[in-house]
Structure formats: structure tokens, C-alpha cells
Amino acid sequence: MESHRELERAVTVQITVLTGKHLRGSRSDSCLSFIRVEFNGCVLGDSQKLDVAANRDAVYNFTCSFECSEVAHTRDDLAHKPVILTVIEDSPEEKEQKTAVLGQAVVDLLPLLKGQRSVSSSVLLHAVPGSPLDVSQEEDREKATLDVSVSVQEPLLSDIQISESNMLMVTVETAYSVPDIWDPASTPLSSYMAALQIPLTAAKEQTLLFSNGRAKMGGERESVPRPKKWPVGHLLVPGAEVMEGQFIETEPTDMSHGDLTDIEDSDFKANAECNRNRVSWDTVRRCFIDAGGLACLSRRIAECRLWPIEIMRCPQTKPTDAGKNTKEKQARNIVEDEILFHGVVYVDLAPLLYPGVRRIHGTYRIHPFLESELLAKAQRTHSILKEMSRAPSAHGPTRPSSSVDTSKASQVFENKRENRDAFKKLVSQGKTDQTDSLADMKVQVNAEGQMCADSRSYIVIEIVLEKPLVPKRERPPGDLAKRLMPQRAERAVHHYHSQIASVTAQVLDQYRQLFGAAFAPGRPPLDPALREQRKARLLGELNSSGTYFAFKEQIKYSVVRIVREKMMRTDAFKDPEELQAFLSQLYVYLVDEMHVALNKTLSVDSQDEHHEPGLSCSQLKLLAKEAELNNDYQQAAQYYQECVVRDDSEPSHWFDYGVFHMLTADHIKAEECFQRAVSIDQKHTSSLLMCGVLSEMNGRYEDAEAFFESATCVEPDSVVAWTLFGLFCQSQEKSIQAEMTFLEANKHLRSVLKNKPKATSEPGEKNHQTDKTRTSPAGKTEETDIDGRSVNEDDKRDCKEEAEISPSKVKITIYTEAVRFLLQNYALQMAQRALAQQLLSPDRGSNSSYHLALAQLQLLRGEHNSAEESLREALTHNLQDPDVWALWGHLNYMREDYSQAKSCYERTLDSLDAVDTHSVLLRLGSIYLQDGEYKKAKGTFQRACRSSPSCLTWLRLGTAHYRMDELKEAEDALTKASALNSRNAEVYGFLTLVYLRAGRKPEAEQSYQYAVKMNLQKEFLLQEIHDLQARAGFEKRFL
């Protein structure tokens, strides 16, 4: 309310013309001149007449002013209208005193709207063509200038008003491929007008009029850069209409704005912009919009994104003075709805509601104006141009336009009145003739408007805001992690570290008291072999003295704080298994943090030999994936934990551990892992995205938006990040922002696909000849379908015809990329929404890929019957897709239908395009072993060892060799398996069998002891070992 009152106050704007330099008149020795100052159609005053010598400056020191208010000379007037300074020469020596305009200069008042209180400048005086000033400038090339100062006693806008208001600039550049009848050489000459409405305040909507369009011949492109013009350029002399510092730099290149955005339109546009006739405005209209107007503008765009800009043609016919007033009255009394070549373009302003977007620059088709279409598209019920033509005086008080030509201001509407007079005679011919003529006129107008559509006319328009309507949040990802991780939890961990450091210091003091003499100079070093004795003595001393109990009490409080503030557990456990699981998790965490504290406190060079771990982290993760494949989640968790313990500063380890918890549906632990990864590396995009997914699942929508937005800032060309952000915005019913994110995702996807080598076939299509076939009794080649039934060539004809219709390669969309990421990380809820969007999208890609992703989702949910239906549907669209066959095999394997699973796996491996063959090879080889097909099992596992060797692949290969009595090869394979994982009990079990068969009892005994120590659980393997041990004569204690 206070800002509104401040806008209503009147502020005096004072204009002072100081001096004029290099002025030349009709007389060679001197120049008698005065300055006329005009603004907004009003003459503010004339200076005194000065007779100044030709080589002297004219010191006018003329001051005038006007009141800036919401009644007259509004702030919007200051934004788009300049102060016009006209230098007029007086000729008193003539019989009749005459005046002649020498030139004009303009002063831009925009700095006053940005908070400045005074502006001083030297403005160029543009000479009237043919005037003495123009001739003198051509001769001596000295440009005439005026020194001007503009000031206000107080700022036009307060700091709050400046921050809440905005400046909108609409530039109408050029219309191309206009109808041939718009010939610049035709008579009478025509001008072209464009108009649109913009809300400046909550209660006022302003019509922006661009009335100085001029037709041009084709043959060459418009020059770039070229200056923009004032919207009152028809009141100014040539050169003065140019807005200083504003240029049309380049042609629009943003393909996401406008209508002609397809690649096939580029050739048409190139031809039209070079060879076809065009209409040029190059005019910019600035609008000052207050806070209420901005809210209204945003609301109107959200309600209806398409804004109409109307275009018309105005023949220029010079009106006569006689009967002029009579014509005006008659024109206003005639209800005239026809406008020559009435067209309209629909500009999509929704991108202005995208966060951080300030500019729209695009090409827009010119459609014939139809009120029904205007209502349907733009929710407008009337034409702007028709309203203006009916009542031109309603749009502002009548003012003299300029000292140069007082008839130019109303020229456009006078032309319209003249056009109305053309059919005034029809009124006197009778009612019937008038009705027929008006009907014919409507048909003609419709035909004229259709000419623009037939010519594929389009116009280039730019809309720029000084500040975005929706600011883009600038939040560094590093601050995001700190904000989302509670400070109390950090303080609890810090307190635990300090207690560990304190206890460590006390233990070291106790150690020095016991063994300090051994560290004296000249004494021999301590014997490493007696380390355990020293350790036992130290522990005995701590226990006997009560220090050990005191240490526990000292650390207890910090552990309680971690449980309550870090792990957020305050209630008692009712389930003993849940309690045991929590204690295990707490123990691992406390040990990890203890190591962190010790590393900060101690720096001791170990004298022991440092042994590198036998397995790398990548191998541990592969072992974990194999354990997941066998549903051994406890073993998988151990592998992930070992990766984290080895290097807890690596964000990928925490991310993989979080994905494992997503698989086991432990979302709380998963979120902790992902947030830990973000705290380590604030640019880890995958962790940011998964934090966003889990935040949305838990209802923390503000945090989710922050995570998704940070992911797009960290990796602005990530298709997945933009797509997931769009899915989130869509769930929050932020349709405009969702559209923006999807457009960004599509733009980056096109860039990625453009740089990729083109695929030539569907997956599996190029390996069509390698698929399993058999010959039917009729001699025709047959192929087995998903149920094992034969499909002959006649039945396959329909499939081939469908393949010819479908594209030659799988069409990747932003949703397929997002679904792949979400399914890989077991984010099933958002994956389902992404699949729904892919199904609704007109660019949804191949049906096979959709049904395959849907089957993966259903399989992860345990919906086996639904997954089977989806896989059948996928195979009907692409019978050769190896990934579909692989998933079909997994489904049958989980159902324990090993015969069908084997058939599907074999078909998958026949293709070279399968994505994930490791799991297929493991399971197919296991089926071969189970069925006694050891030779096939050996070949399958050899292939697995070549592609991705692991403990499990070498174990299964050794098993196959053992079953084929190839003991030497079996021992080699099992030895490699043991080297990769020394804790696998099954490896030592089979090594025991190999050694027993080879008669190597000591090795067999040792391997068996390792197998028992590792808790070998497989009964068939234990029974087989016991049988061989009995035959070999082992003692009963080993059986």
C-alpha cells in the first residue's frame, strides 16, 4: 500500500539545455536560433532566441519541466518516450518572419527510473535533410551537439519500488515471406502496424503500438547488427529515431522458442530472409511494470500462455482538410469491423515463468485473424486494432505530435478513416446493397488474412525482462549438504572424536609408565615378538586399576548422543533381531569414527610390513553384485562395508552402499549413505538425485527441489537430472517449470545423440541369422517363440512388415534415460511415473523398450504375472531384443522353471547386443551344471571369466572341470577363485574334493578345515566330501 502511495505522488522532472555546439544556419556568419523542448506530445517551452557567430557556441541555459505522475506523463511514458529537443532557426530579415527546423536531438530518461537523480550528457543533433545544418555537416564534417542536463529533486522510485518493479522490452523486428501483394513498389504506399496489450499495473492494461512498419524488397539479408528504433520514430527526423546503445545483434538461434523450430524449416527461413519481400519495424517498446503489474502478468501467463500480437496493413492516403471533422464523426458512427490484412501471431510467454529466464527471441507464424480462434487460444474476446479503430481518441488525449510534422501522429488513423469513406457511398445505395457489400467485404478480409498463412509468413519478435519473473535460486551445493545435515548430529560426532582423543592420550600415558624405560636413549628397541605380552600387561593394569571402567563411562555419554542425535533412535527395541542389526550398524559406525579420530590424533610410522588388500574395491563391488544375484544380502552388505572402510572419503562407495539399501527397501539407511556421499563431494550428481528422490518419498518437498536443482547446476547437460527435476515439478503441479526442465532435457539429449554414432538396426536385428533355427517337416525354416512353439516364414511375414514400418533404430527419449537410472538405483515410485510419462509422450520411442522397462519394474516389485505379460508384449514388437530374452530368462529362473530359463538365456547369448551378460552367464552355467551338461557349463563359465572374472565365475569353472575329471584345470580355477575371495567356503570345499581325488591328503585336510572354519553350509557338498574322506581312510574326527 505504501509503495502504491509513493507511485501516486508527482515528481517534477527538470530539463536544462546548456549549450549548442557547431550550429549552422542559412547565414554564413551567424545563426539566430532557439530550442523547443517537447515530451509526450506536449511542448514544454521555447528558449530565448540567440544570435551566435558561426564559430561560437550557443549558450541557451534554458530550463523547463513537467510533472511525472500517474495522471499525466507517467513512469511508463518516461520508459518509452524521449525528450525531443528541436533546434529552430528564425529568419527576421525576411518580409514575413519564417522559421525552419535545423535538427533534432533526443534524451533518454531511463536512468531516472533506475534511481538516478541527475543525468548530464552531450547528445547528437540530427540534421533535417536538406537543411543548412545538414549541408554544413557534409562540408566540414563537424557534428552539432547539445549539452543537456535532466534532474529531479527526489528519486522517481525508492529502492523498494526499484526492487519490486521491472522493465519489459518488446522488440518487433521483421516479418518475412509476406504476401506478394505487399509490394513496396505498389501504390498507394502502405505502412504496417502491430499491437499487443501488457498489464502495467494491477488495474491498467496498456496497448503497445508499433505503427511504423515499412515494406522492403527481397534480395539480401537484413544487416546485423542494426539499431533499434524508438516507438515514436515517425515524429523524429531521420537518425533521431535510433535508440542509442540498443542493437539487433544476431538472428534468433534459440530453437526452443517460436513456431519454425524444426530442422526442415531452416531452408525455408534461409530463402525467405534472403529472397522474399519483408516488412521491417526494428522498433523496441519499453514498459515500466510495477509490483501489481508483475503479479498480474505472471498470473495471466499462467492462466493462458499464448499472447496475441495483431498485425494490419494501412494504405497511406493523404487526408484533405475540407470536411475533415465531418469524416471523423461519420467514421466513428459507422460500425466497421473490417481491417485490411488482419493477421495475428500467438507468442508463448510461458518461458518467462521459467526460473532465471529473462528473454524470449523467436520466429512466429502469422495466422489470419479469427475471433473464434482468438478466444480459444488466447482467451480474448475482442481485437485490439478494432477497438482502436473504433475509438482512437479513447487511447489518450489529443496532443501535437512534433515540431517537425504535426500531422504524422494521427496519420495512421486518418488513413483508416479515409478507408472507411471509400464505402460511405454504399450506405446511400440502400439497405440491401449495403448488406451485400458488407458480406462481400467479410469474405474479402478473410481471404486477405489467409494470404499470410498461404505465404507462410512469420515475424521475428524479442521480449526481454530486466529481471526474471521467477528468480533462479543460487544455492551452492556445498551449503546444501551442510544445511540438510543437522548440526546437532555433527556436534555429537565431534564430541565422540574428542572423547576418543582424550582416552587415547590417557592410554599412551599408561603405556609410557609401564614401558617408558625401554624408550630411553641407548636402550635396545622393543621386541616385536613380545607385543602380545605387552598388550596383555597393559590391559591387566587398566582393569585392575579401574581405569578401563572409567574409560567406558567417559565414552558412554558421547555414544548415547550419537544414537539419539545422529541415528535418531530414542525408542526401545521390541524385536531382538532389529536390536541386533542396529547394534551391528552402531558398532561399525563407532569403529569407523574411532579410526577417524585416531588418524587425527596419532601419526606413528608403523614398523610392521604393510600388506596391500588382495581385492580392489571394484572387485569387492562385483562380488557384492553376485551376492545380490544369489539373494545373499548379508554377504553383499559385508562387501560394501569393506569398500567403505577402506576409503570412506570416496563418494562412489557410499553411493553404491546406498543403492544396496534401496534394493533391500531400507530407505532410511539409503538416504544416510547418499547424504554422506554428498557431504564428501557436493558435485556427485547421482547422489544428489537420489537424495532428491528420497526426500520426495518422505514428503520433504523443499529439500527435494533443492537437491534436484543443485544436480542441474552441478551437471547442466545431464539429461537424467533435468528429467527427474521435471518429474518432481510435475508432481508438485508446477506445470510451467516442469515444461522448462523437459525442454532442457530434450535439448541436451539431442546434443548427445548428435555426437553419437548412428545405429543401423534394432538390438538383435543384425544377429538375426545367428538365432536358433530348425527345419520343419515341410522343409521351411522355423523359429521358436517365447513358448517354444514354431513360427514359420508365413507367420513371420507380419512381424517383418511391422519392422519395416517401425524406425530402424530404438528411439531414445528423456524418459527412457530417466527410467534406466531409476531402475538401476531401485527408485521404483518415480520410475513408475517416468514410465507413465513415456507412454503419454508422443515421442515415446519404441514399444519394445517401454514394455521391457515396465517388466523390469514389475519384476523388482515381485509382480511376476504382470512382468510376464509385459515381456510378451515387448517380444511382439521386437522378437530379436536380447535384453527382453534375458529378463524373460531371469523371470523363469526365479520361478524355478529352469528349462525355459535356459532357452531364454541361450537366445540372449546368441546376440552380440545384450547389455548385461554376466548374470546370464552365471545362471545359464549353473543350469548346465544342475542338468549335468558339464561341457556346456565349462564353455559358459570360460566366457564369463574372460568378460568379467570373479570368485564365482572361477569357482563355477573349477566345478565344471572337476565334474569332467579335469583335476589339474579344476585346481587352477579354484586357486584363482580363492585368490579373489579367501572367505568363500564353497571354494575350499571343492578344493578338498580335488585334493582327495588326487590323493593329496595334507592339502585336503587343510582345505577341509578352512571350509569348516568358513561355515560351509551346502549339504550336498559336505556329504560328497565326507564320502571321499571315508574312502581315503581319514580319521573320524575329520568326517
Side-chain angles (χ1 to χ4, degrees):
M1 182 64 70
E2 184 175 351
S3 299
H4 183 66
R5 290 198 190 101
E6 290 183 1
L7 283 174
E8 290 180 349
R9 62 185 173 87
V11 179
T12 301
V13 179
Q14 184 173 289
I15 304 165
T16 302
V17 182
L18 301 174
T19 58
K21 300 178 181 179
H22 307 296
L23 300 181
R24 297 290 187 273
S26 57
R27 295 180 298 175
S28 59
D29 56 343
S30 64
C31 177
L32 179 62
S33 63
F34 65 94
I35 299 289
R36 175 167 295 169
V37 182
E38 303 169 78
F39 177 72
N40 198 19
C42 294
V43 177
L44 303 182
D46 293 344
S47 71
Q48 61 178 341
K49 298 177 182 180
L50 293 180
D51 192 359
V52 181
N55 58 350
R56 302 291 298 274
D57 296 339
V59 181
Y60 294 102
N61 284 334
F62 171 67
T63 301
C64 57
S65 64
F66 65 89
E67 297 289 330
C68 176
S69 67
E70 291 305 300
V71 179
H73 307 310
T74 65
R75 288 164 177 81
D76 181 61
D77 291 331
L78 270 68
H80 77 277
K81 293 179 181 179
V83 173
I84 302 176
L85 308 176
T86 306
V87 178
I88 303 175
E89 182 185 18
D90 194 4
S91 302
E93 297 178 357
E94 301 290 339
K95 295 180 180 180
E96 295 181 3
Q97 188 172 7
K98 294 183 179 181
T99 60
V101 176
L102 295 179
Q104 277 185 337
V106 294
V107 179
D108 192 354
L109 300 180
L110 182 63
L112 299 181
L113 294 176
K114 294 187 176 182
Q116 296 187 27
R117 296 179 58 180
S118 63
V119 180
S120 298
S121 60
S122 179
V123 294
L124 183 65
L125 184 65
H126 300 274
V128 174
S131 66
L133 181 62
D134 184 36
V135 174
S136 64
Q137 288 182 350
E138 292 180 358
E139 292 176 353
D140 54 20
R141 297 182 180 180
E142 289 184 347
K143 300 294 183 182
T145 58
L146 297 176
D147 293 337
V148 187
S149 174
V150 181
S151 62
V152 290
Q153 293 296 326
E154 54 181 323
L156 290 178
L157 300 171
S158 65
D159 293 339
I160 297 178
Q161 290 174 323
I162 293 175
S163 64
E164 293 178 349
S165 61
N166 208 334
M167 191 71 65
L168 176 72
M169 291 179 285
V170 180
T171 304
V172 178
E173 297 183 10
T174 307
Y176 294 98
S177 188
V178 297
D180 293 335
I181 197 172
W182 293 12
D183 188 358
S186 63
T187 54
L189 296 177
S190 300
S191 65
Y192 299 85
M193 183 185 300
L196 75 155
Q197 288 183 332
I198 293 292
L200 301 184
T201 65
K204 178 183 178 182
E205 193 167 41
Q206 179 67 39
T207 298
L208 311 186
L209 189 64
F210 302 84
S211 59
N212 56 341
R214 293 291 180 266
K216 292 183 178 181
M217 297 291 294
E220 61 181 7
R221 290 183 176 273
E222 294 290 308
S223 60
V224 176
R226 58 185 186 274
K228 296 181 180 180
K229 304 173 184 176
W230 290 98
V232 293
H234 57 283
L235 309 178
L236 303 172
V237 301
E241 78 278 7
V242 173
M243 184 177 290
E244 185 178 358
Q246 296 291 327
F247 295 94
I248 298 174
E249 296 291 345
T250 58
E251 296 298 323
T253 57
D254 191 348
M255 301 302 290
S256 62
H257 297 156
D259 299 325
L260 302 175
T261 58
D262 296 332
I263 298 178
E264 53 268 20
D265 294 324
S266 58
D267 293 337
F268 165 72
K269 289 169 58 180
N271 178 61
E273 293 170 13
C274 183
N275 301 320
R276 300 289 299 276
N277 292 350
R278 73 284 310 266
V279 173
S280 177
W281 282 269
D282 294 343
T283 301
V284 59
R285 168 63 156 89
R286 295 189 301 220
C287 306
F288 174 80
I289 308 179
D290 63 11
L294 289 176
C296 180
L297 178 63
S298 300
R299 185 182 68 255
R300 292 274 301 278
I301 295 175
E303 293 172 353
C304 182
R305 59 192 303 159
L306 296 180
W307 283 57
I309 300 180
E310 298 181 39
I311 299 174
M312 64 175 287
R313 179 187 182 192
C314 307
Q316 294 181 351
T317 56
K318 187 176 181 180
T320 58
D321 294 334
K324 184 174 180 181
N325 295 332
T326 304
K327 287 183 179 181
E328 289 181 2
K329 293 179 180 179
Q330 290 174 344
R332 294 173 184 174
N333 292 331
I334 296 176
V335 180
E336 172 59 60
D337 289 338
E338 283 67 32
I339 294 178
L340 296 178
F341 291 96
H342 195 182
V344 61
V345 299
Y346 296 99
V347 180
D348 186 2
L349 296 188
L352 292 180
L353 295 184
Y354 299 168
V357 172
R358 297 175 44 250
R359 179 175 181 263
I360 297 176
H361 193 191
T363 57
Y364 301 89
R365 292 187 183 278
I366 302 177
H367 304 274
F369 180 87
L370 297 173
E371 290 188 352
S372 59
E373 188 180 50
L374 182 71
L375 179 62
K377 289 186 175 182
Q379 300 179 11
R380 305 287 180 101
T381 58
H382 63 278
S383 165
I384 304 172
L385 292 177
K386 287 181 181 180
E387 292 295 325
M388 294 179 66
S389 63
R390 288 171 182 168
S393 62
H395 294 275
T398 302
R399 296 166 179 164
S401 58
S402 171
S403 300
V404 178
D405 187 353
T406 58
S407 66
K408 286 185 178 180
S410 59
Q411 182 176 355
V412 173
F413 290 109
E414 291 297 336
N415 294 338
K416 283 294 297 177
R417 295 167 192 153
E418 286 295 307
N419 293 333
R420 293 193 191 101
D421 291 338
F423 64 88
K424 269 187 63 182
K425 298 178 181 179
L426 298 176
V427 179
S428 61
Q429 294 177 1
K431 184 175 181 180
T432 304
D433 293 341
Q434 182 183 15
T435 304
D436 295 340
S437 299
L438 290 176
D440 294 340
M441 180 67 76
K442 286 188 177 183
V443 174
Q444 178 185 357
V445 169
N446 290 337
E448 289 174 347
Q450 185 63 33
M451 287 183 183
C452 295
D454 296 339
S455 301
R456 300 182 65 187
S457 303
Y458 65 91
I459 189 170
V460 181
I461 294 174
E462 180 190 49
I463 299 177
V464 180
L465 285 163
E466 185 179 26
K467 296 175 288 189
L469 292 177
V470 182
K472 188 173 182 179
R473 292 187 299 179
E474 299 293 341
R475 179 183 294 126
D479 295 341
L480 176 68
K482 294 180 181 179
R483 184 177 65 87
L484 294 177
M485 296 184 70
Q487 294 183 359
R488 294 183 63 185
E490 294 181 355
R491 288 197 295 266
V493 176
H494 179 71
H495 183 261
Y496 176 74
H497 287 174
S498 64
Q499 295 303 315
I500 292 294
S502 174
V503 171
T504 302
Q506 297 178 55
V507 172
L508 286 176
D509 290 339
Q510 187 72 26
Y511 189 89
R512 291 190 185 99
Q513 292 177 10
L514 295 175
F515 311 107
F519 298 99
R523 298 296 298 273
L526 296 176
D527 186 6
L530 301 178
R531 177 184 299 175
E532 290 298 324
Q533 294 182 8
R534 292 193 297 272
K535 178 179 177 182
R537 183 180 174 186
L538 175 63
L539 291 176
E541 249 342 278
L542 294 176
N543 280 306
S544 61
S545 62
T547 309
Y548 186 81
F549 178 80
F551 288 167
K552 290 198 298 183
E553 291 298 317
Q554 180 179 348
I555 297 177
K556 180 188 294 184
Y557 176 68
S558 62
V559 174
V560 172
R561 287 188 62 182
I562 287 178
V563 172
R564 292 177 177 176
E565 300 175 9
K566 176 65 177 179
M567 298 188 172
M568 308 299 291
R569 299 304 301 253
T570 57
D571 299 329
F573 290 91
K574 298 180 181 180
D575 187 0
E577 295 182 0
E578 184 179 1
L579 173 60
Q580 189 62 37
F582 176 76
L583 291 177
S584 299
Q585 178 188 1
L586 177 62
Y587 176 77
V588 172
Y589 180 79
L590 292 176
V591 170
D592 291 343
E593 294 300 323
M594 180 188 70
H595 290 158
V596 173
L598 291 177
N599 290 333
K600 293 179 180 178
T601 306
L602 302 177
S603 178
V604 180
D605 296 331
S606 176
Q607 298 178 359
D608 296 335
E609 183 180 357
H610 181 69
H611 297 282
E612 293 292 336
L615 295 177
S616 64
C617 289
S618 61
Q619 291 173 324
L620 288 172
K621 292 177 183 179
L622 180 59
L623 293 176
K625 289 297 182 183
E626 292 177 344
E628 292 174 9
L629 198 63
N630 296 326
N631 296 327
D632 189 356
Y633 297 130
Q634 183 177 0
Q635 185 68 36
Q638 292 179 2
Y639 290 132
Y640 286 122
Q641 290 170 2
E642 186 172 344
C643 287
V644 170
V645 169
R646 286 190 181 181
D647 188 5
D648 62 350
S649 62
E650 174 56 47
S652 63
H653 297 343
W654 287 103
F655 177 78
D656 292 332
Y657 195 21
V659 172
F660 167 74
H661 287 306
M662 291 292 294
L663 173 62
T664 58
D666 191 348
H667 296 154
I668 296 178
K669 293 182 179 179
E671 188 170 19
E672 291 177 358
C673 293
F674 294 137
Q675 288 190 357
R676 182 66 179 272
V678 172
S679 65
I680 296 172
D681 182 6
Q682 291 79 31
K683 296 184 178 181
H684 198 261
T685 308
S686 299
S687 297
L688 286 169
L689 292 176
M690 289 307 298
C691 283
V693 170
L694 288 170
S695 296
E696 184 195 21
M697 290 174 58
N698 296 326
R700 302 194 309 272
Y701 302 118
E702 184 178 351
D703 291 346
E705 183 176 3
F707 277 120
F708 286 129
E709 190 173 354
S710 296
T712 58
C713 294
V714 168
E715 194 172 347
D717 56 349
S718 172
V719 177
V720 174
W722 284 109
T723 306
L724 296 189
F725 194 13
L727 291 172
F728 168 78
C729 295
Q730 202 171 50
S731 67
Q732 299 299 303
E733 298 182 353
K734 299 179 179 180
S735 57
I736 300 295
Q737 194 169 355
E739 178 185 295
M740 182 272 291
T741 56
F742 289 146
L743 285 174
E744 285 290 326
N746 277 301
K747 180 176 70 174
H748 296 305
L749 179 62
R750 286 193 296 267
S751 177
V752 171
L753 296 179
K754 186 177 180 181
N755 297 328
K756 279 187 176 182
K758 294 184 178 180
T760 58
S761 62
E762 289 273 359
E765 185 178 349
K766 64 183 179 182
N767 302 293
H768 175 72
Q769 299 298 330
T770 65
D771 292 328
K772 285 185 14 176
T773 59
R774 66 173 183 265
T775 305
S776 66
K780 295 181 178 180
T781 301
E782 294 182 343
E783 194 176 75
T784 57
D785 67 357
I786 56 180
D787 292 325
R789 297 187 299 268
S790 62
V791 182
N792 57 32
E793 294 294 335
D794 295 334
D795 296 332
K796 289 163 57 180
R797 187 175 296 111
D798 294 337
C799 294
K800 289 184 178 180
E801 291 175 357
E802 183 179 354
E804 292 174 359
I805 297 173
S806 63
S808 61
K809 64 178 181 178
V810 173
K811 194 169 188 179
I812 301 176
T813 67
I814 59 174
Y815 302 110
T816 58
E817 294 292 299
V819 167
R820 184 180 297 113
F821 174 83
L822 293 170
L823 290 179
Q824 286 175 351
N825 299 309
Y826 308 106
L828 305 185
Q829 291 183 8
M830 186 170 279
Q832 184 177 10
R833 283 161 35 204
L835 279 173
Q837 289 300 316
Q838 181 179 350
L839 186 61
L840 296 174
S841 173
D843 229 10
R844 65 182 184 181
S846 66
N847 290 323
S848 175
S849 63
Y850 165 76
H851 289 288
L852 173 61
L854 180 60
Q856 290 175 330
L857 174 65
Q858 293 164 339
L859 195 61
L860 289 173
R861 287 180 169 176
E863 303 169 357
H864 293 174
N865 293 334
S866 300
E868 181 179 358
E869 294 177 4
S870 299
L871 288 171
R872 289 181 184 275
E873 189 68 26
L875 287 176
T876 58
H877 292 286
N878 185 4
L879 194 61
Q880 311 302 327
D881 192 339
D883 295 327
V884 178
W885 286 106
L887 193 62
W888 186 274
H890 294 327
L891 175 61
N892 289 320
Y893 190 90
M894 296 171 68
R895 288 176 165 178
E896 298 183 355
D897 187 355
Y898 299 120
S899 177
Q900 285 292 332
K902 179 172 68 172
S903 177
C904 294
Y905 288 149
E906 288 174 345
R907 185 153 189 166
T908 301
L909 296 177
D910 286 340
S911 171
L912 298 179
D913 295 329
V915 176
D916 181 18
T917 59
H918 187 71
S919 59
V920 173
L921 290 169
L922 286 178
R923 287 182 168 176
L924 179 59
S926 299
I927 294 174
Y928 284 145
L929 287 176
Q930 183 178 339
D931 293 345
E933 301 180 67
Y934 302 127
K935 187 174 182 180
K936 290 184 177 180
K938 183 179 75 171
T940 302
F941 288 121
Q942 284 176 341
R943 181 173 174 180
C945 290
R946 286 193 298 268
S947 60
S948 53
S950 67
C951 174
L952 194 56
T953 58
W954 287 112
L955 169 61
R956 295 290 181 257
L957 179 59
T959 304
H961 282 300
Y962 174 77
R963 298 303 180 193
M964 297 176 66
D965 295 330
E966 299 173 352
L967 300 182
K968 181 64 172 66
E969 292 80 359
E971 181 182 358
D972 293 340
L974 293 171
T975 301
K976 292 179 180 178
S978 176
L980 291 176
N981 185 8
S982 60
R983 293 172 292 182
N984 192 308
E986 192 175 351
V987 173
Y988 295 108
F990 275 101
L991 276 173
T992 303
L993 292 177
V994 171
Y995 293 145
L996 287 172
R997 291 278 302 274
R1000 296 156 60 181
K1001 290 185 179 182
E1003 291 95 331
E1005 180 179 345
Q1006 185 179 13
S1007 297
Y1008 178 69
Q1009 289 176 352
Y1010 274 116
V1012 173
K1013 184 179 179 180
M1014 298 300 172
N1015 194 19
L1016 180 61
Q1017 296 289 331
K1018 293 195 174 182
E1019 293 295 333
F1020 80 92
L1021 186 55
L1022 286 171
Q1023 185 61 43
E1024 191 172 356
I1025 292 173
H1026 292 162
D1027 293 342
L1028 284 179
Q1029 284 177 336
R1031 294 177 193 172
F1034 272 74
E1035 297 180 11
K1036 189 175 181 179
R1037 62 187 178 90
F1038 292 111
L1039 300 181

